[in-house]
Amino acid sequence: MKLRALVVGLAAAALTLTACGQSGSPGGSSGGPVVSEAPAAGVQVPDSTTFAAMQQRGRVVIGVKDDQPGLGFKDATTGEYSGFDIEIARLVAAKLGYGTDKIDYKTVPSAAREDAISRGEVDYYVGTYTINDNRKQRVSFAGPYFVAGQGLLVRSDETAITGKDTLKGKKVCSVTGSTPIQRVRDQGLTEPENIVEFQTYTQCVDQLLSKQVDAVTTDDAILKGYAAQQPDKLKVVGETFSTEPYGIGLNHDDAALRNKINDILQASYDDGTWQKIYDNTLGKSGSPASPPALQRY
């Protein structure tokens, strides 16, 4: 399993299953929600046990990441949540009838996602959660709402690195033991002595900015988050060289809620809401994207 939970070093202490955040006015990437959605009234999802639990509770509990800039990030000072994943999570909540004052955010590390969903500790999970057949044995997915792939982050003035086939002789950094750095090693994209590993992506980015390494590699969505923070210093380059469809994780047997959320996502693709969310979060990296095709099942 990828170690995407290790994106920012500060999150190591914060990533606990019991850490349940609550925010009455959670901030978007520009100080407030990118798309202000009034909670829908009179929503019904027949045969959904998860939705019934939300109604009884009067709140929705969403599993998230809080350590991924541009995707799912919690400001240590204000406690505000922001990012593309957070905005998608809020949009779904609003369409289910829950405004931002009725959302509880629960930080769940990558390795514990299936347990949190199957035990009902979260109603749904939005946090760089790749859809795959192995995970489908324990949970189900709505989406994908984004298709990521392994990419490269370089300094904005870099011209020699334009994709994975231009990494020879370049120092490439990623998280220790992660799938992305193993792919670099297995495919011989650079020499073994030029592979640099740290515990967090933030350390890699710091090394990139100080010119100790030439590129950072992981899912391009994560890299876009870093580039969006410092677009004058960082950029994402080249075509992606893996496929990572991000889905909204749900209870394995709750087909009714899965179908409802798929309908919500499709509507956001069709009416431009998804594009507005992307452009104001990950899109600030300068890398364009369009809504993916849903994989209903």
Side-chain angles (χ1 to χ4, degrees):
M1 186 174 291
K2 290 187 175 182
L3 300 181
R4 286 198 284 267
L6 299 175
V7 181
V8 177
L10 289 175
L15 291 177
T16 61
L17 270 173
T18 55
C20 191
Q22 184 174 324
S23 178
S25 56
S29 60
S30 57
V34 170
V35 178
S36 296
E37 288 281 344
V43 179
Q44 296 296 323
V45 187
D47 301 321
S48 171
T49 56
T50 305
F51 187 75
M54 291 183 207
Q55 290 182 306
Q56 184 174 13
R57 191 189 309 120
R59 305 184 66 82
V60 58
V61 181
I62 307 174
V64 297
K65 295 286 185 66
D66 66 359
D67 60 342
Q68 296 182 333
L71 286 158
F73 190 77
K74 181 180 180 181
D75 187 283
T77 302
T78 66
E80 305 276 328
Y81 285 83
S82 64
F84 178 72
D85 283 351
I86 299 298
E87 294 293 338
I88 293 294
R90 289 177 183 147
L91 173 67
V92 171
K95 295 300 185 181
L96 291 175
Y98 298 90
T100 55
D101 61 332
K102 300 295 184 182
I103 296 175
D104 294 331
Y105 300 99
K106 191 178 186 71
T107 301
V108 182
S110 293
R113 290 180 292 203
E114 286 82 32
D115 285 340
I117 294 168
S118 60
R119 292 172 182 167
E121 294 170 4
V122 299
D123 297 316
Y124 57 90
Y125 186 96
V126 189
T128 60
Y129 199 8
T130 298
I131 301 170
N132 62 40
D133 290 339
N134 183 54
R135 289 170 178 164
K136 283 182 180 178
Q137 295 179 27
R138 296 194 61 197
V139 301
S140 66
F141 291 94
Y145 63 90
F146 188 81
V147 177
Q150 185 167 344
L152 298 170
L153 181 72
V154 299
R155 292 180 293 275
S156 58
D157 59 356
E158 176 65 65
T159 58
I161 300 175
T162 57
K164 71 182 183 69
D165 296 328
T166 58
L167 292 175
K168 288 290 188 182
K170 304 295 185 181
K171 290 189 178 297
V172 181
C173 188
S174 195
V175 162
T176 301
S178 65
T179 300
I181 202 63
Q182 190 60 45
R183 184 174 286 115
V184 170
R185 184 177 286 112
D186 291 346
Q187 295 184 8
L189 299 181
T190 192
E191 298 77 11
E193 63 270 22
N194 283 327
I195 292 176
V196 180
E197 299 180 59
F198 285 98
Q199 291 300 310
T200 70
Y201 289 117
T202 296
Q203 290 172 294
C204 282
V205 173
D206 289 343
Q207 290 284 304
L208 180 62
L209 290 169
S210 63
K211 300 185 178 181
Q212 301 303 304
V213 301
D214 302 302
V216 178
T217 187
T218 186
D219 287 5
D220 66 329
I222 296 171
L223 300 178
K224 286 179 181 182
Y226 284 109
Q229 283 189 317
Q230 302 186 71
D232 57 328
K233 296 180 180 180
L234 299 169
K235 64 182 179 181
V236 178
V237 297
E239 298 293 328
T240 56
F241 46 105
S242 72
T243 301
E244 309 292 342
Y246 291 166
I248 295 176
L250 299 154
N251 181 279
H252 182 272
D253 300 319
D254 202 330
L257 185 59
R258 182 176 73 240
N259 291 334
K260 177 67 173 179
I261 293 179
N262 273 328
D263 290 342
I264 292 169
L265 291 175
Q266 187 63 61
S268 76
Y269 300 170
D270 296 340
D271 66 15
T273 300
W274 184 98
Q275 195 66 56
K276 186 178 294 183
I277 289 173
Y278 178 84
D279 290 346
N280 284 277
T281 52
L282 293 181
K284 290 185 175 181
S285 66
S287 297
S290 300
L294 288 178
Q295 299 173 358
R296 295 178 183 268
Y297 63 95

